[in-house]
């Protein structure tokens, strides 16, 4: 129904917006809706002739004939007439003389078979404002046309007329089994038409779930003996949960609670059965509690505190704030009180008694129960106590992932000065907790942790240094001090893998400064501070400098490539391979094509593949040609797979066709499959070319050994 209403009022709402600057009656610098008789008559004529352009061409007309037809309609597509007509209606609202005349004339147009359905929809929207029972005979027949049915029923729903109600009943009889019946049911329920209840009851048995749901909702709006008896009988005979039926029973029982308490009580009692939904049981529990005196309510609370039924416990939780501390403590310590409720009682007591509850909550932090830890952590973050930080840190070592998450979240809610130093101490004292502690220090951006983390980052064990370096990435700033310490760590790294990890961290930290030239200049200055000018030093530093990609760095690399020292020249090549953009792709290709050193050839080619497939202004066909060229030059499966994988960045049919050529090559088939699937999931590429993709995706489904890839291929082929 909401969509129907929106469609109705957009008819004239959008028209007003479209014309807001070019017609006097919009009120923008014009007449502000004060129409002359001539303008009003023109509006009536325009409404009678109003048409909209056809969305499709069902008759298969030629382009020229379709244009001619649309031109003819265009002359009757004057939305200014609709806007003027709206002013006619608005001006009549407070005029007892013209209002019935305008309404009658609108109704006459609505009954005219020559008037378009668009105009009739607009007329119903206008009559919704000013219509009376007198217009019902003209509007009722519009219920028979799906195009006008919603507009008509909304008017009929609003009119206080038995004739309007009868028209809606007749429409419901005609529409039984059809989706259009949903809106009519809703209108009859809004009118609270008791005579339609029998029909609603019949439609609850519909095989169409949407119609059945609408029928239950319609019943819920009419609270009388008939609906109450039907719902009571249904609940007695149904031994399984039924959300729509129970929702209707709840609503009817609430309405009847004042008018017919006996029938309301019957429904509420039935809703309390164990087989009912939580919502049904909760409505029953609320009713039971409300209908007790003070002593009875206290007895119910005592009884329900032992229950595991969430519906009853919800009432208890809502009411415990009314209990005194002594009663709360008694229920909390009662072994028969359910565990889930005990936590709510405990939290309520904690909020009242404050620091007195610290010992209890600290004990809860030691448990393996996430629910207890959640309550304790919420409470403990409100206080400053030397015992709280260690309790949270200890919980970081729990075997339960949820408890570790809760402890970490609680720590981050504490002031940095209250916990960060304790976290740093635990880095060395509690090695098992490092994976949990380091991210917290990073999020705190705790500078005092840099030196301890650098010490850990010097450890040759990847399990130790990788986490420490990740922490440094988050904490360090792109300044001389922090980058200087990271550069020293880079030089001290004991393996190529460790050095590579540090190099990536340095690049990440430096890029926190958006000025590429400034960060490259800073790192060059740091590197040049060293008195060590040896070839060995240059060989270590050059690959790091290559990641910074500026002209000054390139000059340094070019000079090193001409070095007579093989180690320095090799390092220069590695530096060029680390270049972040395709700026020097030509040099990389030359090395890959001409070098006598196999290692240099392969590394340069891989670097070339990486940079040319980065986003650029280059034509896609050119990029694909570069990758094809790389594939031909590659002398190993790893590099060929890299070239093929990076082609996924070139979103063209030619790429799909190229990748498909390798589905029969065992060493490349899996990569080819993934590339095709990735490209097929771009709708702009797949939708217009379904016939092209169909056989290729079917072949991927037969070729790939990866279940996920096969599933994605099938979904893409089916348009999902």
């Amino acid at each position: 129904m909401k969509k129907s209403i929106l469609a109705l009022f957009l008819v004239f709402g959008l028209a007003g917006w479209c014309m807001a600057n070019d017609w006097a009656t919009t009120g923008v610098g014009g007449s502000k809706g004060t129409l002359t008789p001539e303008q009003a008559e023109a509006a009536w004529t325009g409404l009678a002739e109003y048409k909209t352009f056809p969305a499709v061409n069902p008759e298969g007309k030629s382009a020229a004939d379709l244009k001619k037809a649309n031109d003819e309609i265009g002359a009757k597509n004057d939305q200014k007439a609709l806007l003027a007509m709206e002013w006619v209606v608005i001006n009549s609202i407070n005029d007892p003389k013209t209002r019935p005349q305008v309404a009658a004339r609108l109704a006459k147009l609505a009954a005219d078979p020559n008037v378009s359905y668009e105009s009739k929809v607009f007329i119903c929207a206008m009559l919704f404002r000013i219509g009376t029972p007198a217009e019902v005979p003209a509007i009722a027949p519009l219920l028979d046309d799906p195009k006008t049915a919603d507009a008509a029923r909304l008017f009929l729903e609003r009119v206080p007329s038995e004739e309007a109600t009868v028209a809606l009943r007749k429409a419901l009889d005609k529409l039984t089994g059809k989706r259009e019946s949903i809106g009519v049911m809703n209108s009859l329920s809004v009118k609270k038409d008791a005579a339609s209840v029998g029909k609603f009851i019949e439609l609850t048995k519909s095989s169409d779930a949407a119609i059945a749901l609408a029928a239950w909702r319609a019943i819920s709006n009419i609270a009388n003996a008939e609906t109450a008896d039907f719902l009571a009988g249904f609940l007695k005979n149904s031994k399984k949960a039924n959300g729509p039926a129970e929702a209707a029973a709840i609503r009817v029982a609430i309405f009847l609670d004042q008018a017919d308490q006996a029938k309301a009580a019957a429904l509420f009692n039935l809703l309390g059965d164990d087989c009912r939904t939580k919502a049904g049981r909760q409505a029953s529990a609320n009713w039971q509690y409300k209908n007790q005196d003070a002593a009875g309510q206290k007895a119910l609370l005592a009884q329900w505190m032992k229950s595991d039924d969430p519906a009853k416990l919800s009432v208890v939780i809502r009411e415990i704030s009314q209990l005194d501390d002594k009663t709360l403590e008694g229920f909390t310590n009662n072994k028969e009180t359910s565990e889930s409720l005990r936590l709510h009682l405990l939290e309520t007591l904690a909020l009242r008694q404050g620091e007195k509850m610290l010992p209890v909550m600290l004990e809860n932090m030691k448990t393996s129960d996430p629910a207890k830890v959640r309550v304790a952590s919420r409470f403990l973050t409100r206080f400053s106590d030397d015992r709280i930080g260690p309790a949270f840190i200890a919980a970081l070592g729990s075997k339960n992932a949820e408890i570790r998450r809760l402890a970490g979240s609680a720590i981050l809610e504490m002031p940095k000065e209250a916990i960060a130093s304790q976290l740093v101490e635990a880095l060395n004292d509690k090695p098992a907790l490092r994976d949990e502690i380091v991210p917290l220090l990073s999020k705190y951006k705790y500078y005092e942790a840099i030196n301890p983390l650098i010490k850990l980052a010097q450890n040759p064990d990847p399990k130790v240094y990788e986490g420490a370096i990740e922490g440094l990435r988050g904490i360090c700033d792109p300044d001389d001090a922090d980058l200087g310490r990271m550069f020293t760590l880079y030089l001290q790294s004991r393996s190529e893998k460790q050095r590579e990890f540090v190099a990536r961290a340095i690049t990440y930290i430096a890029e926190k400064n958006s000025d590429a030239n400034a960060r490259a200049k800073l790192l060059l200055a740091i590197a040049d501070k060293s008195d060590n000018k040896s070839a060995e030093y240059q060989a270590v530093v050059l690959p790091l400098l290559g990641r910074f990609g500026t002209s000054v760095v390139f000059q340094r690399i070019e000079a090193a490539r001409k070095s007579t020292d093989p180690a320095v020249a090799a390092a220069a090549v590695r530096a060029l391979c680390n270049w972040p953009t395709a700026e020097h792709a030509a040099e990389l290709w030359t090395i890959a094509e001409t070098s006598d050193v196999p290692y240099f050839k392969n590394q340069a080619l891989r670097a070339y593949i990486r940079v040319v497939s980065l986003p650029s202004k280059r034509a896609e066909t050119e990029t694909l040609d570069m990758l094809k060229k790389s594939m031909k030059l590659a002398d190993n499966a790893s590099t060929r797979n890299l070239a093929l994988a990076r082609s996924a960045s070139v979103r063209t049919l030619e790429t799909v066709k190229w990748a498909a050529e390798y589905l029969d090559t065992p060493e490349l088939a899996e990569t080819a499959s993934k590339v095709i699937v990735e490209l097929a999931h771009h709708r702009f590429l797949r939708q217009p070319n379904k016939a092209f993709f169909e056989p290729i995706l079917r072949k991927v489904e037969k070729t790939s050994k990866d279940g996920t890839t096969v599933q994605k291929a099938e979904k893409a082929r089916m348009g999902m």
Side-chain angles (χ1 to χ4, degrees):
M1 188 184 82
K2 290 180 180 177
K3 290 183 178 178
S4 302
I5 293 172
L6 180 62
L8 291 177
F9 291 102
L10 280 178
V11 166
F12 47 83
L14 285 178
W17 178 83
C18 292
M19 300 300 132
N21 292 312
D22 62 3
W23 203 47
T25 56
T26 62
V28 181
S31 62
K32 299 183 179 179
T34 303
L35 307 180
T36 65
E38 291 77 16
Q39 286 176 319
E41 276 306 310
W44 283 107
T45 302
L47 177 61
E49 297 180 350
Y50 183 78
K51 300 280 187 182
T52 57
F53 294 102
V56 294
N57 182 14
E59 299 174 8
K61 295 179 180 178
S62 67
D65 288 343
L66 183 62
K67 182 178 184 304
K68 182 179 178 182
N70 277 337
D71 286 344
E72 291 173 358
I73 292 173
K76 300 176 181 180
N77 187 241
D78 189 355
Q79 291 191 11
K80 289 184 286 187
L82 297 188
L83 182 58
M85 201 61 237
E86 188 174 0
W87 277 116
V88 170
V89 171
I90 292 171
N91 292 337
S92 74
I93 288 176
N94 296 316
D95 187 338
K97 181 180 179 180
T98 61
R99 179 170 179 164
Q101 295 173 356
V102 171
R105 193 168 177 182
L106 285 170
K108 185 178 180 180
L109 278 176
D112 187 339
N114 295 316
V115 172
S116 69
Y117 84 86
E118 295 94 349
S119 288
K120 292 179 180 182
V121 168
F122 181 85
I123 288 167
C124 289
M126 296 300 100
L127 287 175
F128 187 88
R129 295 180 175 185
I130 64 169
T132 68
E135 289 77 55
V136 170
I139 301 301
L142 300 184
L143 290 170
D144 296 334
D145 186 343
K147 292 179 180 179
T148 55
D150 271 332
R153 74 172 179 81
L154 289 172
F155 162 67
L156 296 171
E157 171 187 310
R158 190 190 68 80
V159 175
S161 158
E162 178 61 20
E163 191 174 0
T165 306
V166 170
L168 288 166
R169 283 187 211 141
K170 289 180 179 178
L172 183 58
D173 287 335
K174 292 179 183 178
L175 295 170
T176 296
K178 298 180 180 179
R179 283 290 177 96
E180 289 81 4
S181 66
I182 292 174
V184 178
M185 273 192 283
N186 187 69
S187 291
L188 285 166
S189 76
V190 169
K191 293 176 80 70
K192 299 190 183 301
D193 182 40
S196 295
V197 169
K199 192 68 176 179
F200 297 160
I201 290 172
E202 176 189 330
L203 290 172
T204 62
K205 302 171 186 176
S206 173
S207 58
D208 187 321
I211 293 175
L213 178 60
W216 285 115
R217 288 177 173 171
I219 288 171
S220 74
N221 217 27
I222 303 175
N224 59 20
E226 185 179 2
T227 57
D229 290 343
F230 163 68
L231 289 166
F234 182 89
L235 293 175
K236 285 178 185 177
N237 295 322
S238 175
K239 298 305 179 185
K240 61 180 181 179
N242 184 314
E246 292 173 41
I250 292 169
R251 187 169 168 83
V252 168
I254 291 172
F255 285 146
L256 287 177
D257 200 23
Q258 298 299 322
D260 192 336
Q261 291 187 345
K263 290 191 181 297
L267 287 173
F268 278 125
N269 284 326
L270 287 166
L271 287 165
D273 290 348
D274 291 340
C275 63
R276 306 271 69 96
T277 62
K278 179 184 175 183
R281 299 195 316 277
Q282 190 165 333
S284 176
N286 284 329
W287 176 82
Q288 289 181 58
Y289 185 82
K290 185 188 75 171
N291 284 278
Q292 297 286 335
D293 58 20
Q297 289 180 341
K298 189 172 183 180
L300 272 182
L301 290 179
Q303 177 188 338
W304 290 349
M305 281 182 179
K306 303 172 186 177
S307 172
D308 287 324
D309 184 351
K312 292 175 179 175
L313 290 176
S314 67
V315 178
V316 177
I317 291 166
R318 186 189 69 214
E319 298 297 329
I320 56 176
S321 62
Q322 308 301 319
L323 302 177
D324 57 59
D325 286 8
K326 185 176 180 180
T327 305
L328 276 178
E329 288 174 2
F331 284 134
T332 303
N333 296 324
N334 189 333
K335 293 181 180 179
E336 293 184 341
T337 301
S338 67
E339 190 59 38
S340 58
L341 179 59
R342 195 190 307 275
L343 288 173
H344 286 285
L345 294 170
L346 187 64
E347 190 161 21
T348 302
L349 273 174
L351 290 171
R352 291 183 185 180
Q353 298 181 358
E355 293 190 34
K356 180 182 175 182
M357 296 293 291
L358 272 173
V360 176
M361 292 302 189
L362 288 168
E363 283 301 311
N364 276 356
M365 281 300 302
K366 298 177 182 178
T367 69
S368 58
D369 184 347
K372 290 183 178 180
V373 172
R374 184 178 297 107
V375 170
S377 61
R378 278 201 298 255
F379 173 80
L380 292 171
T381 51
R382 298 169 55 231
F383 298 95
S384 297
D385 187 284
D386 292 342
R387 295 169 291 175
I388 295 174
F392 285 150
I393 291 173
L396 291 174
S398 172
K399 294 180 180 179
N400 186 293
E402 176 63 9
I403 290 178
R404 295 197 300 272
R405 186 193 68 77
L406 288 167
S409 297
I411 285 171
L412 291 174
E413 287 185 31
M414 296 181 68
K416 186 195 305 187
E417 59 274 9
I419 189 67
S421 61
Q422 296 178 48
L423 291 172
V424 171
E425 287 178 18
L427 277 177
N428 293 318
D429 298 343
K430 302 180 185 297
L433 303 185
R434 284 173 184 161
D435 288 348
E436 301 293 332
I437 290 173
V438 170
L440 297 175
L441 290 169
S442 179
K443 288 176 182 176
Y444 266 134
K445 206 168 175 60
Y446 190 56
Y447 293 107
E448 287 78 356
I450 292 177
N451 285 337
L453 287 173
I454 283 180
K455 187 174 181 180
L456 289 174
Q458 292 171 337
N459 191 299
D461 185 351
K463 294 180 181 178
V464 178
Y465 73 67
E466 287 183 1
I469 293 170
E470 281 298 311
L472 290 166
R473 281 164 58 105
I475 299 172
C476 289
D477 286 328
D479 56 27
D480 182 73
D482 289 354
L483 284 175
R485 286 189 279 189
M486 292 299 296
F487 183 76
T488 301
L489 176 63
Y490 173 80
L491 295 176
Q492 293 172 346
S493 297
R494 304 183 188 183
S495 67
E496 282 297 318
K497 182 180 177 182
Q498 187 175 15
R499 185 170 289 156
E500 173 67 15
F501 215 80
V502 178
R504 291 179 183 177
I506 290 173
T507 306
Y508 179 88
I509 295 165
E511 286 177 350
K512 292 178 183 179
N513 180 348
S514 59
D515 188 334
N517 287 317
R519 59 187 184 233
K521 183 178 179 181
L522 177 59
L523 201 71
L524 281 168
I526 291 171
D528 290 342
K529 282 181 183 178
S530 174
D531 294 331
N532 189 345
K533 306 299 181 185
S534 67
E536 182 182 4
Y537 178 79
Q538 294 299 317
V540 171
V541 171
L542 281 169
L544 175 62
L545 294 177
R547 297 173 184 270
F548 287 79
T550 66
S551 58
V552 177
V553 172
F554 183 70
Q555 291 171 10
R556 180 80 58 97
I557 291 172
E558 281 295 275
R561 283 179 64 190
K562 299 172 184 177
S563 173
T564 56
D565 189 305
V568 174
V573 172
R574 288 180 57 201
L576 194 59
C577 289
N578 288 341
W579 205 262
T581 68
E583 181 183 3
H584 299 297
E587 285 86 346
L588 289 169
W589 179 257
T590 299
I591 296 170
E593 197 174 33
T594 63
S595 177
D596 296 328
V597 182
Y599 176 79
F600 290 166
K601 287 175 67 73
N602 187 55
Q603 289 302 106
L605 182 56
R606 292 179 71 86
Y608 176 83
I609 292 168
R610 174 179 60 81
V611 297
V612 299
S613 56
L614 293 172
S616 70
K617 296 180 180 179
R618 189 189 314 112
E620 290 178 319
T621 53
E622 186 180 350
T623 299
L624 185 60
D625 286 342
M626 290 174 160
L627 293 172
K628 288 180 177 180
K629 186 172 65 171
S630 302
M631 179 74 88
K632 292 179 181 178
L633 186 61
D635 59 5
N636 61 78
S638 175
T639 304
R640 284 194 286 271
N641 270 296
L642 177 64
L644 188 55
R646 299 291 288 202
S647 71
S649 64
V650 185
R651 300 169 183 176
T652 65
L653 290 180
E654 184 61 31
T655 308
V656 177
K657 183 178 178 181
W658 182 57
E661 293 174 4
Y662 294 100
L663 288 173
D664 295 321
T665 306
E667 63 184 18
L668 299 174
E670 204 61 63
T671 301
S673 296
K674 290 178 179 177
V675 168
I676 291 166
V677 166
E678 184 175 342
L679 292 171
H681 274 80
H682 295 293
R683 289 184 181 274
F684 77 91
L685 194 60
R686 185 189 73 243
Q687 287 295 101
N689 303 289
K690 291 181 180 179
F692 173 82
F693 272 100
E694 171 81 17
I696 296 175
L697 288 169
R698 286 192 180 277
K699 188 168 184 178
V700 168
E701 292 171 42
K702 294 179 180 179
T703 302
S704 176
K705 301 295 189 294
D706 182 88
T708 302
T709 301
V710 172
Q711 188 179 43
K712 287 181 177 180
E714 185 178 11
K715 285 184 176 181
R717 181 171 53 80
M718 295 173 68
M720 298 170 66

